[in-house]
Amino acid sequence: MTSTVVVGAQFGDEGKGKITDFEAEKADLVVRYQGGNNAGHTVVVDGKTFKFHLLPSGAVQGKRCLIGAGVVLDPRVLKEEIEKIGEIELGIDPRVQIIMPWHNSLDGASEARKGDKKIGTTGRGIGPAYADRASRCGIRFSDLIDEEKLKKRISEEFPIKKDILEKVYGITVDFSEESVFKEYSVLGQEFKSMLSDVSLEASKALNDGKNVLFEGAQGTFLDNDFGTYPFVTSSHPIAGGVFTGVGLGIRKLDKIIGLVKAYTTRVGEGPFPSELDGELANQIREAGGEYGTTTGRPRRVGWLDLCILRTAVRLNGLTDIAFTKLDVLSGLDKILICTDYEIDGEKFNEFPHALENFAKAKPVYKEMSGFKISGKEKSFEELDEKAREYVEFVEKELGVKLSFVSIGPGRKETIQR
Ligand code: IMP
């Protein structure tokens, strides 16, 4: 039996899809524990690209996939993704919160009202859906699949949300209580057979010695508590989120794989000390295809930042690191790594808890030689010596083995160490 969690160690988009897919091959069960269709996982198999927002990446492997209570689910997106993939064995926890049309409208309206103080959300209704969960007025999967309950819950929620949208934000609501019920009750009936107590199913699978893979979305520094609040998402991507997001007692997870991209990217607003601009940023952005899978927004790009990574190792208890997109840096003359921050003249080597300090952190860089990667290297030893130096330096600084080094988008372009 192994329990494995795959978690983003930076700001999301570290290339989790590929490693999750890799790990899913060995799994009996793949479980998502947080987030919603704000995520974007890309998996390339035999030259075919699969993009998911909501379904666990394990879906490509034909494995049974579960959506845990910590997820917010947009049934319209679920329908689309199921149609795209065809066959899927999916279980959805009754406690999963449903993203309703008013959540999308509220997300957009609240961002627009914030103006230049906006978070830069994906606009998928994630924050408002989690806010309703905390306010105890969310609609859950158990409501969605029961027509009577759904009707009642929509009749309770719709007038309030309509008032907020129209009276607070001055937005015209283009859906009615009836139209929402009509559409969502059909979706609910379609997904009814997928009901599963995910907490029970996942616990049983672990107790029965099965291999369970927990799939995180977003990244450590988008965690609602431990990230760059308020420039964060509304769930808990960190590994601890597995226990509350699935409903498991605290237990040792065998492998906690942190995904680390060989450089840093971020979408949305918020401080980013090692951020690059100009030609070099464009070059890396283009080479790495750094455009959001969900929104298509160009990602902000910067050098690798060891300070946030040291914190990510600690917050997640990482046992392994999967180092991704090393090939993207191929051909650069020199590569910088942020090893420390200087904040008000003092040196720090971890992520500071105060956002204002993170915002004024000046990166202290170590310069390393550039390298070339062809993508055809089959082992670590075959890599350019300077590329190995880069990997080994990061490994030494973080004290965690870089067990996977990814040198291209395909499944085969992964070196296991
Ligand atoms: P939300 O999750 O849509 O509310 O967005 C909150 C913040 O998290 C924004 O900065 C988004 O760009 C960011 N975010 C959400 N999901 C992802 C993701 O999967 N990858 C990277 N950033 C994300």
Side-chain angles (χ1 to χ4, degrees):
M1 170 193 93
T2 44
S3 51
T4 303
V5 55
V6 172
V7 53
Q10 294 155 314
F11 297 99
D13 309 316
E14 298 92 351
K16 280 185 290 298
K18 177 175 162 176
I19 299 296
T20 309
D21 173 59
F22 201 83
E23 287 293 313
E25 206 167 357
K26 295 173 264 176
D28 298 301
L29 209 52
V30 183
V31 191
R32 257 197 81 171
Y33 60 92
Q34 48 76 226
N37 58 306
N38 47 348
H41 291 169
T42 308
V43 185
V44 184
V45 186
D46 298 331
K48 212 171 153 201
T49 302
F50 297 86
K51 284 184 199 268
F52 295 117
H53 299 289
L54 181 60
L55 286 180
S57 310
V60 180
Q61 298 277 358
K63 297 295 166 98
R64 176 157 173 83
C65 293
L66 300 180
I67 295 184
V71 171
V72 287
L73 181 151
D74 185 329
R76 291 169 166 168
V77 174
L78 182 65
K79 185 178 165 67
E80 250 172 54
E81 294 197 352
I82 291 177
E83 278 169 3
K84 234 196 281 173
I85 190 145
E87 286 277 291
I88 179 167
E89 237 202 274
L90 186 66
I92 304 171
D93 194 273
R95 307 155 188 97
V96 161
Q97 296 282 327
I98 302 301
I99 300 180
M100 301 299 290
W102 48 81
H103 292 133
N104 295 77
S105 309
L106 284 166
D107 199 355
S110 128
E111 284 283 272
R113 175 67 70 90
K114 285 191 181 114
D116 62 2
K117 300 234 166 22
K118 69 177 194 291
I119 308 293
T121 71
T122 58
R124 300 299 189 261
I126 307 296
Y130 277 115
D132 276 2
R133 176 178 79 173
S135 302
R136 294 149 297 182
C137 62
I139 294 181
R140 310 213 285 184
F141 187 66
S142 54
D143 301 321
L144 183 78
I145 59 177
D146 178 324
E147 286 184 320
E148 239 171 79
K149 272 200 210 160
L150 182 65
K151 194 170 197 119
K152 179 167 174 290
R153 292 295 297 112
I154 291 177
S155 74
E156 287 161 353
E157 285 313 305
F158 178 81
I160 302 171
K161 298 303 194 294
K162 186 172 190 288
D163 267 4
I164 298 174
L165 283 164
E166 289 183 347
K167 296 184 182 154
V168 177
Y169 292 110
I171 283 180
T172 315
V173 174
D174 60 1
F175 43 84
S176 66
E177 194 177 312
E178 293 70 33
S179 70
V180 175
F181 174 70
K182 204 167 155 215
E183 182 185 356
Y184 281 66
S185 56
V186 171
L187 289 167
Q189 293 314 301
E190 223 168 285
F191 304 140
K192 198 171 180 169
S193 61
M194 294 173 178
L195 178 72
S196 159
D197 186 332
V198 169
S199 161
L200 194 63
E201 190 177 339
S203 297
K204 250 179 127 259
L206 288 167
N207 292 341
D208 291 348
K210 302 248 169 76
N211 293 332
V212 181
L213 174 66
F214 299 100
E215 174 173 336
Q218 291 85 47
T220 299
F221 294 93
L222 293 177
D223 185 275
N224 193 249
D225 281 321
F226 294 97
T228 54
Y229 192 89
F231 302 103
V232 291
T233 193
S234 303
S235 64
H236 297 289
I238 58 172
V242 166
F243 302 110
T244 52
V246 178
L248 290 176
I250 303 290
R251 60 162 76 219
K252 189 177 159 289
L253 294 167
D254 300 304
K255 271 212 276 181
I256 304 174
I257 307 176
L259 266 292
V260 175
K261 182 146 58 182
Y263 46 97
T264 312
T265 60
R266 160 160 221 173
V267 260
E269 308 303 313
F272 182 175
S274 65
E275 184 166 13
L276 288 164
D277 55 16
E279 199 31 53
L280 187 54
N282 288 336
Q283 196 183 326
I284 297 176
R285 184 177 303 112
E286 293 310 317
E290 296 297 352
Y291 291 88
T293 317
T294 304
T295 57
R297 290 181 289 180
R299 295 181 184 138
R300 299 157 66 192
V301 172
W303 295 119
L304 191 70
D305 181 342
L306 293 177
C307 300
I308 62 165
L309 291 175
R310 287 186 192 100
T311 305
V313 168
R314 176 168 55 79
L315 283 174
N316 295 295
L318 298 184
T319 60
D320 296 81
I321 284 175
F323 202 51
T324 63
K325 296 184 112 168
L326 186 64
D327 53 301
V328 171
L329 300 180
S330 173
L332 297 178
D333 292 339
K334 61 174 185 186
I335 294 168
L336 303 189
I337 301 189
C338 168
T339 57
D340 299 274
Y341 295 145
E342 207 187 281
I343 303 171
D344 293 332
E346 260 191 86
K347 231 172 156 189
F348 294 88
N349 72 359
E350 280 216 25
F351 171 72
H353 61 81
L355 190 75
E356 54 276 25
N357 284 339
F358 189 53
K360 62 185 175 189
K362 290 199 188 75
V364 178
Y365 287 117
K366 174 182 168 69
E367 188 177 312
M368 301 202 66
S369 309
F371 46 76
K372 289 247 163 60
I373 287 181
S374 70
K376 301 215 164 23
E377 296 86 347
K378 293 274 169 283
S379 67
F380 188 63
E381 290 64 39
E382 281 178 44
L383 282 180
D384 182 331
E385 184 194 346
K386 299 295 176 198
R388 277 184 277 139
E389 269 175 29
Y390 187 68
V391 170
E392 279 164 351
F393 179 72
V394 174
E395 190 165 68
K396 189 169 135 277
E397 286 291 315
L398 298 180
V400 179
K401 183 158 187 181
L402 270 55
S403 310
F404 303 87
V405 178
S406 167
I407 52 168
R411 253 187 200 167
K412 294 194 179 107
E413 291 151 328
T414 308
I415 293 172
Q416 258 186 295
R417 297 173 68 226

